Amino acid sequence: MALITYRDALNQALRDEMHRDDRVFLMGEEVGEYNGAYKVSKGLLEEFGEMRVVDTPITELGFAGVGVGAAMVGLRPVVEFMTWNFALLALDQIVNAAAKMLYMSGGQFPMPLVFRGPNGAALQLSAQHSQSWESWLAHIPGLKVVAPGTPYDAKGLLKAAIRDDNPVIVLEGEMLYNTKGEVPDEDYVIPLGKAELKREGDHCSIITSGKMVLVAMQVADQMAKDGIRIDVVDLRTIRPMDVDAITASVRKTNRAVVLEEGWEVCGIGAQVVDYIQRDCFDHLDAPVLRVHQADVPMPYAKAIEKAAKPDVAKTIAAVKKVMYIES
Amino acid sequence: MAAKKKSDNDPALGKSLLHSMILQRRFEEKVAEAYALGKIGGFCHLYIGQEAVSTGTLSLLRDDDYVLTTYRDHGQAIMRGMSPRSVMAELFGRIDGCSRGKGGSMHLFDRHVNFLGGHGIVGGHVPMATGVGFAIKYRGGDQVCICYMGEAAVNNGAFHESLNMAGLWRLPVIYVIENNKYGMGTALARASSIKDMYKRGATYNIESAEVDGQDVWAVRDAMQDAIDRARKDYAPTLLEIRTSRYMGHSMSDAASGTYRSKEELESDRKRDPINLLKAKLITDKLIMDADVAAMEAEIAAVVQDSWDFADASPEPPLEALFEDVYVETTT
Ligand SMILES: Cc1ncc(C[n+]2csc(CCOP(=O)(O)OP(=O)(O)O)c2C)c(N)n1
Ligand SMILES: [Mg+2]
């Protein structure tokens, strides 16, 4: 196995899948000549040519719709958004078209396409460029939503997304692209809808996904020093959600913290907590707590931006609280 | 393009335009320095090379007119009369910044000078400018709204929807395309089905013109026509002002070497708007070298003062994080 970046893992997945299936093509802003705004598509234009690695104008609604149309007649588009903030301009195509084409055509038109790009905040990009959209997208029946947190998961989930016959949203992260991890060269897919227990512990569960997996792992490492064993459940797929993995963990630990990058109100955590209260009511030793972004647009100034984001310290505080540990 | 020069022999005006352009340039050179030192973070897009556009257009506006622009907003903010101090403090993320440290480089705002932002989503502000034009007409005013955008924004649906409404309803909006030939790493020819962006106006029944954006006098002439049209007849205008950005798209992008050749950039730099104006004023004996030197010294002090001010300004306090999400309704 090679130690590679999350960026290169995605690049491998794209390259492999384009070799495997000539209906797969990549389209988006700066994906070709510039090798991707975040270099995820590096070398692909050279390898596959202009019909399969397509630079678009800044027309998110337009090219998302081109993806939908091409998928209707049998191609398998991978549509890249430079960031998910800009994908808001394409929501009509994602929500009104891709998500429900199969249903409203009575099963005639499947939508085998992928919408992918970085989601959430980087550093000091302020309000319009620092948003986490997972709960918006996961709200929509007809879409699948994945949020890989490691290079291994990035490759396996993107491959699965491309091979899936439904529209799949892949949420990456600007702050994840440079992170490294072990990734096999060979072909593998990670089944959609399956969580992974990233760390075993019996004192408290942390249920999370995407960029926050790294935070949860740091929390688990730090708390292990004090003898506190955290069960880290990485959802990997946000929709459909692996409810069994969540409830199995909570039944074991009897305590849970749900950690997400986005806002609290109507967030992913609210859904997770609902599954827990329904299925694990009698197993809980404390109310489930949530860690998330402050309920405000992201500010620019450094210190208050930091204060707005979920982090290790806030998560540790929440774990201590559900474990009734005085801090 | 007609070579009519209505306004180029007023020495005081020439000097003031030169002053404005040099101020924007030196200010942004300082911004680059601060960015390298980590005093400024996030995305930061410099305007260097395009100063004749902001200067030529905004020098003709009245105080009660309105301005909207993109994330490449430092030059226009300063030219519109926002203090270098408040702009630099915003870039430093400090409480005395024009947006109280909440917005940063891409989101400069100042209601005192009708500077309605600093917007980060390509094309997103173009309908807003159309709305400002609507409000002007609604109230029977004779102001104008100027809306700057890059040439890549023209390919976005928001542009076309906006121009159609402005042409249909006759709204006093001046849409300025700052055609610097690239949208990030994509050359115009690789993103637009036509080469002449100003021609988009005709489809929407909007007067348009192509303007040399390195010549501040040419920019002023085109802008004056647009303003007259808007104030008199509520008529919109589309100006394609051709210019060049001498820096990378943002601080993380090289000025040349990948999508743009070094030769192209060097050739563009030969038509530096500041040098062109300076040379013209000196040839016409409207200013002397000593005047320019004095101007540079004065500007250097203003720019340094903006840095010192920003550096001394406190970071927003933690409470600020939760302020300004909603306003108290008072009625
Ligand atoms: C809707 C949207 N898509 C993509 C981006 C990312 N982006 C920011 S600036 C830019 C290029 C814009 O070029 P242009 O309009 O020519 O303006 P310039 O930067 O040259 O001033 C891109 C692609 C964005 N901010 N908004
Ligand atoms: Mg441009």
Side-chain angles (χ1 to χ4, degrees):
Chain A
M1 269 207 278
L3 192 66
I4 64 168
T5 61
Y6 186 101
R7 166 186 295 112
D8 290 341
L10 291 168
N11 183 271
Q12 275 186 16
L14 288 168
R15 175 175 282 111
D16 287 2
E17 293 308 303
M18 289 176 74
H19 276 300
R20 197 174 161 270
D21 184 343
D22 64 11
R23 296 169 300 175
V24 177
F25 69 97
L26 175 67
M27 172 176 268
E29 291 159 18
E30 308 285 1
V31 297
E33 263 191 32
Y34 201 70
N35 285 308
Y38 298 98
K39 308 295 170 208
V40 169
S41 52
K42 194 165 181 191
L44 298 182
L45 172 64
E46 210 180 324
E47 194 166 336
F48 296 100
E50 286 184 349
M51 276 320 280
R52 298 188 68 197
V53 180
V54 185
D55 277 322
T56 65
I58 307 175
T59 50
E60 285 82 3
L61 175 68
F63 67 75
V66 169
V68 171
M72 284 187 87
V73 294
L75 297 186
R76 302 183 76 89
V78 177
V79 174
E80 172 173 317
F81 295 113
M82 192 176 280
T83 81
W84 274 94
N85 301 291
F86 314 142
L88 287 205
L89 280 79
L91 276 185
D92 176 56
Q93 290 294 334
I94 300 171
V95 175
N96 277 328
K100 33 187 84 67
M101 196 70 76
L102 181 70
Y103 193 82
M104 66 189 182
S105 68
Q108 297 181 73
F109 288 100
M111 282 283 117
L113 85 168
V114 170
F115 295 109
R116 50 159 288 270
N119 176 55
L123 289 173
Q124 283 198 279
L125 302 186
S126 75
Q128 293 185 322
H129 286 77
S130 311
Q131 307 172 89
S132 300
W133 297 111
E134 46 269 48
S135 73
W136 280 52
L137 296 157
H139 191 59
I140 309 296
L143 297 180
K144 297 185 180 183
V145 181
V146 304
T150 66
Y152 180 89
D153 291 353
K155 180 172 170 181
L157 287 171
L158 179 53
K159 278 170 164 281
I162 293 172
R163 292 183 202 179
D164 201 281
D165 283 339
N166 299 286
V168 184
I169 307 290
V170 181
L171 302 172
E172 303 162 8
E174 277 156 82
M175 306 296 283
L176 285 174
Y177 287 136
N178 279 334
T179 59
K180 285 192 170 169
E182 299 279 353
V183 176
D185 281 336
E186 54 275 13
D187 181 46
Y188 64 94
V189 292
I190 294 174
L192 303 186
K194 281 269 164 257
E196 186 186 49
L197 198 57
K198 284 271 191 306
R199 175 73 56 91
E200 267 220 67
D202 52 357
H203 288 150
C204 179
S205 305
I206 296 179
I207 297 136
T208 191
S209 65
K211 208 182 294 175
M212 291 299 114
V213 172
L214 289 181
V215 174
M217 296 305 280
Q218 280 173 278
V219 169
D221 286 342
Q222 283 194 29
M223 299 200 83
K225 290 181 198 147
D226 297 325
I228 297 167
R229 297 185 295 271
I230 307 284
D231 218 36
V232 177
V233 179
D234 174 3
L235 294 171
R236 299 209 284 204
T237 301
I238 292 171
R239 184 189 186 100
M241 201 179 280
D242 188 348
V243 182
D244 291 344
I246 298 169
T247 52
S249 173
V250 176
R251 285 190 178 137
K252 175 174 65 178
T253 62
N254 312 113
R255 298 164 200 275
V257 167
V258 188
L259 167 62
E260 70 189 297
E261 190 183 354
W263 292 297
E264 174 180 20
V265 178
C266 305
I268 296 299
Q271 186 61 40
V272 173
V273 170
D274 177 54
Y275 289 135
I276 294 174
Q277 66 83 21
R278 267 193 267 172
D279 294 347
C280 309
F281 189 78
D282 293 330
H283 296 268
L284 286 175
D285 286 345
V288 180
L289 289 186
R290 294 176 56 196
V291 181
H292 43 75
Q293 187 191 318
D295 192 22
V296 299
M298 193 65 86
Y300 166 74
K302 217 184 229 167
I304 56 171
E305 184 200 33
K306 186 169 182 312
K309 290 173 167 177
D311 62 11
V312 171
K314 286 173 196 163
T315 311
I316 289 181
V319 171
K320 285 188 171 166
K321 201 156 174 199
V322 301
M323 292 186 66
Y324 301 113
I325 298 170
E326 306 274 322
S327 40
Chain B
M1 205 185 337
K4 48 177 180 171
K5 296 277 158 96
K6 298 174 192 158
S7 51
D8 61 351
N9 43 22
D10 172 350
L13 175 62
K15 215 168 151 176
S16 120
L17 296 174
L18 183 65
H19 184 278
S20 298
M21 285 205 269
I22 296 178
L23 175 60
Q24 292 168 62
R25 177 72 57 95
R26 301 293 170 250
F27 181 86
E28 283 205 313
E29 288 166 354
K30 205 72 175 168
V31 167
E33 217 178 298
Y35 197 92
L37 290 175
K39 293 200 175 279
I40 298 172
F43 289 149
C44 179
H45 310 79
L46 299 184
Y47 194 64
I48 291 177
Q50 305 184 200
E51 295 93 341
V53 183
S54 56
T55 307
T57 49
L58 292 174
S59 60
L60 288 162
L61 283 197
R62 289 193 328 226
D63 287 350
D64 60 345
D65 292 327
Y66 298 93
V67 183
L68 279 94
T69 189
T70 68
Y71 45 85
R72 199 178 296 288
D73 54 357
H74 313 155
Q76 290 140 358
I78 287 178
M79 184 59 205
R80 182 57 181 166
M82 290 168 64
S83 80
R85 281 182 163 197
S86 77
V87 175
M88 193 65 92
E90 187 58 36
L91 302 184
F92 278 42
R94 305 300 172 86
I95 193 73
D96 297 301
C98 57
S99 307
R100 305 186 71 233
K102 292 266 184 74
S105 165
M106 297 188 285
H107 306 301
L108 303 175
F109 287 84
D110 190 345
R111 42 176 324 121
H112 305 297
V113 296
N114 288 349
F115 195 84
L116 311 186
H119 299 272
I121 304 300
V122 169
H125 64 298
V126 184
M128 298 174 212
T130 311
V132 172
F134 181 88
I136 292 169
K137 188 168 181 180
Y138 187 92
R139 294 197 174 114
D142 73 339
Q143 300 104 304
V144 304
C145 177
I146 183 166
C147 177
Y148 298 94
M149 71 199 85
E151 84 294 337
V154 174
N155 304 319
N156 189 291
F159 170 88
H160 296 271
E161 297 178 27
S162 298
L163 264 76
N164 184 52
M165 287 187 281
L168 177 68
W169 295 333
R170 311 314 291 165
L171 302 177
V173 183
I174 301 168
Y175 300 95
V176 171
I177 302 166
E178 296 198 60
N179 179 1
N180 61 12
K181 304 184 285 182
Y182 294 90
M184 211 170 261
T186 303
L188 167 68
R190 298 204 305 116
S192 174
S193 57
I194 63 171
K195 177 174 127 293
D196 297 314
M197 309 312 271
Y198 72 92
K199 290 185 180 160
R200 299 279 188 207
T203 347
Y204 301 110
N205 195 19
I206 291 179
E207 290 280 340
S208 64
E210 173 203 355
V211 185
D212 176 358
Q214 305 311 88
D215 177 353
V216 71
W217 302 112
V219 174
R220 277 178 58 94
D221 286 346
M223 180 68 179
Q224 189 60 61
D225 291 345
I227 291 177
D228 293 346
R229 219 174 273 136
R231 294 214 203 284
K232 252 200 264 97
D233 305 323
Y234 288 120
T237 298
L238 176 66
L239 297 179
E240 178 190 351
I241 307 191
R242 296 199 173 163
T243 181
S244 173
R245 74 163 146 76
Y246 293 166
M247 315 302 281
H249 169 73
S250 69
M251 298 307 290
S252 57
D253 179 46
S256 68
T258 50
Y259 54 86
R260 169 166 70 172
S261 73
K262 210 167 156 226
E263 294 69 40
E264 180 185 335
L265 180 56
E266 269 165 19
S267 139
D268 280 5
R269 277 182 167 278
K270 292 198 182 110
R271 297 200 68 243
D272 185 314
I274 295 179
N275 291 344
L276 290 185
L277 177 61
K278 198 162 43 182
K280 176 106 183 36
L281 294 175
I282 289 176
T283 315
D284 294 351
K285 302 210 167 16
L286 294 175
I287 58 166
M288 297 191 305
D289 284 333
D291 298 325
V292 178
M295 202 183 270
E296 287 277 7
E298 180 261 322
I299 286 170
V302 167
V303 169
Q304 184 58 48
D305 169 74
S306 75
W307 174 303
D308 296 340
F309 174 83
D311 219 15
S313 172
E315 284 224 22
L318 191 56
E319 308 88 78
L321 180 58
F322 299 98
E323 289 165 5
D324 303 325
V325 180
Y326 299 101
V327 70
E328 202 69 50
T329 301
T330 50
T331 50

